[in-house]
Amino acid sequence: MGRWRAACLVLALTSLITAGAGGGIAAASERQVDDMDKDISAAVYVVNRYWSSHWSRFFTGRYSSPGVFGGYQRGVRKPPLCGPDRLTYDNAWYCWNDDYLAWDVDLMREGYRSGDAWVYLVIAHEWGHAVQRRLNRSLVMRTYELQADCLAGAALYGAAADGILRFEKGDVAEIEAAHRRMGDTTPWTDVSDHGTAAQRMSSFKRGAKYGVRGCLPD
């Protein structure tokens, strides 16, 4: 499988973030938590930069970034409140009420063992919900979870076109594997609301091929 590479702003200096060494993913036992944290930071930067750079091409009004609460973990950090209710474990979220992203660290770590594409997909998908919150309601599709997958594809492939994210050999297979997990076998997704793995991958590919406009109602 290939590696994702993202240009990320760190301490006001632009540097190339390469999650792991060489051209392949390390064995699960060799993968480090700080590697995942770097990939998460890179994913947040890449997705936010894409939307902030291209918002005016597609939508009216000014773009504003959602908040990023980040990770929480049993015994370490409680899930944050979203409105009056606290988020649950084993999930990744966009809190519509309070406009922020959050995720269970253990969930991210489990997916990350299969490849770094996992964290990029999760963050880009939840960011897609933040985009939906900023749109006129007429532009938000009833299949809003699949639309978020489409927006994730548009953002990641758009970032690649901008030169701030680079796909390498094996990344597409890694993306498909991640969608199979998110569509069919992850406890926090339900086929009835998120769609099957095939539907999710199809939506992601539509965004990748046609961009943001391919994710909007006809």
mmCIF file of all heavy atoms in Angstrom, residues 181-205:
data_model
loop_
_atom_site.group_PDB
_atom_site.id
_atom_site.type_symbol
_atom_site.label_atom_id
_atom_site.label_comp_id
_atom_site.label_asym_id
_atom_site.label_seq_id
_atom_site.Cartn_x
_atom_site.Cartn_y
_atom_site.Cartn_z
ATOM 1 N N ARG A 181 -14.880 -0.905 5.472
ATOM 2 C CA ARG A 181 -15.012 -0.912 6.933
ATOM 3 C C ARG A 181 -16.052 0.098 7.375
ATOM 4 O O ARG A 181 -16.903 -0.182 8.214
ATOM 5 C CB ARG A 181 -13.667 -0.582 7.594
ATOM 6 C CG ARG A 181 -12.640 -1.686 7.475
ATOM 7 C CD ARG A 181 -11.631 -1.599 8.605
ATOM 8 N NE ARG A 181 -12.290 -1.757 9.880
ATOM 9 C CZ ARG A 181 -12.086 -0.958 10.929
ATOM 10 N NH1 ARG A 181 -11.280 0.062 10.836
ATOM 11 N NH2 ARG A 181 -12.701 -1.185 12.064
ATOM 12 N N MET A 182 -16.020 1.302 6.828
ATOM 13 C CA MET A 182 -16.952 2.340 7.254
ATOM 14 C C MET A 182 -18.369 2.050 6.780
ATOM 15 O O MET A 182 -19.336 2.437 7.428
ATOM 16 C CB MET A 182 -16.496 3.708 6.737
ATOM 17 C CG MET A 182 -15.240 4.222 7.424
ATOM 18 S SD MET A 182 -14.889 5.955 7.075
ATOM 19 C CE MET A 182 -14.412 5.883 5.368
ATOM 20 N N GLY A 183 -18.502 1.324 5.656
ATOM 21 C CA GLY A 183 -19.826 1.085 5.122
ATOM 22 C C GLY A 183 -20.497 -0.158 5.664
ATOM 23 O O GLY A 183 -21.711 -0.185 5.812
ATOM 24 N N ASP A 184 -19.713 -1.184 5.974
ATOM 25 C CA ASP A 184 -20.320 -2.465 6.302
ATOM 26 C C ASP A 184 -19.995 -3.010 7.687
ATOM 27 O O ASP A 184 -20.806 -3.716 8.273
ATOM 28 C CB ASP A 184 -19.876 -3.525 5.273
ATOM 29 C CG ASP A 184 -20.470 -3.270 3.894
ATOM 30 O OD1 ASP A 184 -21.480 -2.559 3.810
ATOM 31 O OD2 ASP A 184 -19.906 -3.785 2.922
ATOM 32 N N THR A 185 -18.826 -2.703 8.225
ATOM 33 C CA THR A 185 -18.394 -3.429 9.420
ATOM 34 C C THR A 185 -18.071 -2.551 10.608
ATOM 35 O O THR A 185 -17.578 -3.041 11.611
ATOM 36 C CB THR A 185 -17.134 -4.276 9.101
ATOM 37 O OG1 THR A 185 -16.066 -3.403 8.695
ATOM 38 C CG2 THR A 185 -17.420 -5.270 7.991
ATOM 39 N N THR A 186 -18.308 -1.258 10.544
ATOM 40 C CA THR A 186 -18.005 -0.383 11.665
ATOM 41 C C THR A 186 -19.259 -0.163 12.493
ATOM 42 O O THR A 186 -20.302 0.198 11.947
ATOM 43 C CB THR A 186 -17.471 0.977 11.163
ATOM 44 O OG1 THR A 186 -16.367 0.727 10.313
ATOM 45 C CG2 THR A 186 -17.014 1.830 12.318
ATOM 46 N N PRO A 187 -19.205 -0.372 13.822
ATOM 47 C CA PRO A 187 -20.418 -0.285 14.636
ATOM 48 C C PRO A 187 -21.066 1.085 14.638
ATOM 49 O O PRO A 187 -22.257 1.197 14.873
ATOM 50 C CB PRO A 187 -19.918 -0.664 16.040
ATOM 51 C CG PRO A 187 -18.449 -0.449 16.017
ATOM 52 C CD PRO A 187 -18.025 -0.746 14.619
ATOM 53 N N TRP A 188 -20.298 2.146 14.358
ATOM 54 C CA TRP A 188 -20.883 3.481 14.434
ATOM 55 C C TRP A 188 -21.477 3.944 13.110
ATOM 56 O O TRP A 188 -21.962 5.057 13.005
ATOM 57 C CB TRP A 188 -19.878 4.508 14.946
ATOM 58 C CG TRP A 188 -18.561 4.533 14.253
ATOM 59 C CD1 TRP A 188 -17.467 3.789 14.552
ATOM 60 C CD2 TRP A 188 -18.175 5.360 13.152
ATOM 61 N NE1 TRP A 188 -16.436 4.090 13.699
ATOM 62 C CE2 TRP A 188 -16.837 5.056 12.840
ATOM 63 C CE3 TRP A 188 -18.832 6.340 12.401
ATOM 64 C CZ2 TRP A 188 -16.151 5.686 11.816
ATOM 65 C CZ3 TRP A 188 -18.138 6.965 11.373
ATOM 66 C CH2 TRP A 188 -16.811 6.635 11.091
ATOM 67 N N THR A 189 -21.450 3.090 12.091
ATOM 68 C CA THR A 189 -22.147 3.433 10.851
ATOM 69 C C THR A 189 -23.230 2.413 10.593
ATOM 70 O O THR A 189 -23.074 1.222 10.858
ATOM 71 C CB THR A 189 -21.189 3.468 9.648
ATOM 72 O OG1 THR A 189 -20.530 2.201 9.544
ATOM 73 C CG2 THR A 189 -20.147 4.554 9.814
ATOM 74 N N ASP A 190 -24.334 2.871 10.073
ATOM 75 C CA ASP A 190 -25.491 2.042 9.783
ATOM 76 C C ASP A 190 -25.776 2.158 8.292
ATOM 77 O O ASP A 190 -25.893 3.260 7.763
ATOM 78 C CB ASP A 190 -26.681 2.541 10.604
ATOM 79 C CG ASP A 190 -27.906 1.637 10.475
ATOM 80 O OD1 ASP A 190 -28.024 0.950 9.441
ATOM 81 O OD2 ASP A 190 -28.730 1.637 11.399
ATOM 82 N N VAL A 191 -25.888 1.011 7.619
ATOM 83 C CA VAL A 191 -26.132 1.015 6.176
ATOM 84 C C VAL A 191 -27.380 1.821 5.837
ATOM 85 O O VAL A 191 -27.465 2.454 4.778
ATOM 86 C CB VAL A 191 -26.249 -0.436 5.654
ATOM 87 C CG1 VAL A 191 -26.759 -0.462 4.220
ATOM 88 C CG2 VAL A 191 -24.896 -1.131 5.730
ATOM 89 N N SER A 192 -28.362 1.827 6.753
ATOM 90 C CA SER A 192 -29.610 2.525 6.476
ATOM 91 C C SER A 192 -29.442 4.032 6.404
ATOM 92 O O SER A 192 -30.240 4.715 5.764
ATOM 93 C CB SER A 192 -30.661 2.180 7.547
ATOM 94 O OG SER A 192 -30.275 2.680 8.816
ATOM 95 N N ASP A 193 -28.413 4.581 7.062
ATOM 96 C CA ASP A 193 -28.224 6.032 6.974
ATOM 97 C C ASP A 193 -26.942 6.426 6.253
ATOM 98 O O ASP A 193 -26.883 7.457 5.609
ATOM 99 C CB ASP A 193 -28.283 6.702 8.360
ATOM 100 C CG ASP A 193 -27.274 6.130 9.349
ATOM 101 O OD1 ASP A 193 -26.247 5.597 8.910
ATOM 102 O OD2 ASP A 193 -27.515 6.244 10.564
ATOM 103 N N HIS A 194 -25.889 5.606 6.338
ATOM 104 C CA HIS A 194 -24.630 5.940 5.686
ATOM 105 C C HIS A 194 -24.501 5.332 4.295
ATOM 106 O O HIS A 194 -23.688 5.783 3.503
ATOM 107 C CB HIS A 194 -23.446 5.474 6.541
ATOM 108 C CG HIS A 194 -23.146 6.354 7.702
ATOM 109 N ND1 HIS A 194 -23.929 6.388 8.824
ATOM 110 C CD2 HIS A 194 -22.159 7.258 7.912
ATOM 111 C CE1 HIS A 194 -23.422 7.254 9.693
ATOM 112 N NE2 HIS A 194 -22.360 7.799 9.159
ATOM 113 N N GLY A 195 -25.288 4.308 4.008
ATOM 114 C CA GLY A 195 -25.160 3.623 2.735
ATOM 115 C C GLY A 195 -24.219 2.433 2.834
ATOM 116 O O GLY A 195 -23.455 2.292 3.786
ATOM 117 N N THR A 196 -24.290 1.548 1.852
ATOM 118 C CA THR A 196 -23.393 0.405 1.816
ATOM 119 C C THR A 196 -21.984 0.852 1.444
ATOM 120 O O THR A 196 -21.772 1.977 0.992
ATOM 121 C CB THR A 196 -23.881 -0.624 0.788
ATOM 122 O OG1 THR A 196 -23.791 -0.037 -0.525
ATOM 123 C CG2 THR A 196 -25.323 -1.044 1.058
ATOM 124 N N ALA A 197 -21.043 -0.070 1.587
ATOM 125 C CA ALA A 197 -19.667 0.246 1.208
ATOM 126 C C ALA A 197 -19.589 0.635 -0.267
ATOM 127 O O ALA A 197 -18.882 1.572 -0.636
ATOM 128 C CB ALA A 197 -18.763 -0.950 1.498
ATOM 129 N N ALA A 198 -20.325 -0.095 -1.108
ATOM 130 C CA ALA A 198 -20.304 0.211 -2.547
ATOM 131 C C ALA A 198 -20.880 1.592 -2.822
ATOM 132 O O ALA A 198 -20.342 2.351 -3.641
ATOM 133 C CB ALA A 198 -21.080 -0.851 -3.316
ATOM 134 N N GLN A 199 -21.955 1.937 -2.158
ATOM 135 C CA GLN A 199 -22.556 3.259 -2.339
ATOM 136 C C GLN A 199 -21.619 4.359 -1.855
ATOM 137 O O GLN A 199 -21.489 5.407 -2.494
ATOM 138 C CB GLN A 199 -23.888 3.332 -1.598
ATOM 139 C CG GLN A 199 -24.995 2.514 -2.214
ATOM 140 C CD GLN A 199 -26.230 2.454 -1.331
ATOM 141 O OE1 GLN A 199 -26.149 2.406 -0.106
ATOM 142 N NE2 GLN A 199 -27.401 2.468 -1.961
ATOM 143 N N ARG A 200 -20.955 4.112 -0.745
ATOM 144 C CA ARG A 200 -20.054 5.120 -0.196
ATOM 145 C C ARG A 200 -18.853 5.332 -1.112
ATOM 146 O O ARG A 200 -18.428 6.459 -1.349
ATOM 147 C CB ARG A 200 -19.610 4.722 1.212
ATOM 148 C CG ARG A 200 -20.762 4.593 2.196
ATOM 149 C CD ARG A 200 -20.295 4.591 3.619
ATOM 150 N NE ARG A 200 -19.781 5.911 3.984
ATOM 151 C CZ ARG A 200 -19.394 6.231 5.213
ATOM 152 N NH1 ARG A 200 -19.445 5.338 6.176
ATOM 153 N NH2 ARG A 200 -18.945 7.433 5.475
ATOM 154 N N MET A 201 -18.310 4.247 -1.620
ATOM 155 C CA MET A 201 -17.171 4.374 -2.521
ATOM 156 C C MET A 201 -17.591 5.052 -3.810
ATOM 157 O O MET A 201 -16.847 5.878 -4.367
ATOM 158 C CB MET A 201 -16.593 2.989 -2.822
ATOM 159 C CG MET A 201 -15.248 3.032 -3.541
ATOM 160 S SD MET A 201 -13.972 3.818 -2.516
ATOM 161 C CE MET A 201 -12.782 4.297 -3.774
ATOM 162 N N SER A 202 -18.793 4.744 -4.304
ATOM 163 C CA SER A 202 -19.290 5.386 -5.520
ATOM 164 C C SER A 202 -19.443 6.888 -5.316
ATOM 165 O O SER A 202 -19.083 7.683 -6.199
ATOM 166 C CB SER A 202 -20.633 4.767 -5.927
ATOM 167 O OG SER A 202 -21.182 5.420 -7.050
ATOM 168 N N SER A 203 -19.944 7.287 -4.160
ATOM 169 C CA SER A 203 -20.105 8.711 -3.866
ATOM 170 C C SER A 203 -18.756 9.400 -3.762
ATOM 171 O O SER A 203 -18.560 10.505 -4.272
ATOM 172 C CB SER A 203 -20.897 8.890 -2.565
ATOM 173 O OG SER A 203 -22.211 8.406 -2.703
ATOM 174 N N PHE A 204 -17.809 8.747 -3.092
ATOM 175 C CA PHE A 204 -16.464 9.305 -2.973
ATOM 176 C C PHE A 204 -15.843 9.488 -4.355
ATOM 177 O O PHE A 204 -15.248 10.537 -4.649
ATOM 178 C CB PHE A 204 -15.603 8.382 -2.111
ATOM 179 C CG PHE A 204 -14.195 8.865 -1.917
ATOM 180 C CD1 PHE A 204 -13.874 9.720 -0.873
ATOM 181 C CD2 PHE A 204 -13.181 8.459 -2.777
ATOM 182 C CE1 PHE A 204 -12.571 10.163 -0.690
ATOM 183 C CE2 PHE A 204 -11.882 8.901 -2.610
ATOM 184 C CZ PHE A 204 -11.576 9.764 -1.560
ATOM 185 N N LYS A 205 -15.983 8.472 -5.207
ATOM 186 C CA LYS A 205 -15.405 8.552 -6.546
ATOM 187 C C LYS A 205 -16.060 9.648 -7.379
ATOM 188 O O LYS A 205 -15.400 10.279 -8.208
ATOM 189 C CB LYS A 205 -15.531 7.205 -7.252
ATOM 190 C CG LYS A 205 -14.573 6.137 -6.741
ATOM 191 C CD LYS A 205 -14.740 4.844 -7.514
ATOM 192 C CE LYS A 205 -13.721 3.800 -7.091
ATOM 193 N NZ LYS A 205 -13.900 2.516 -7.821
#
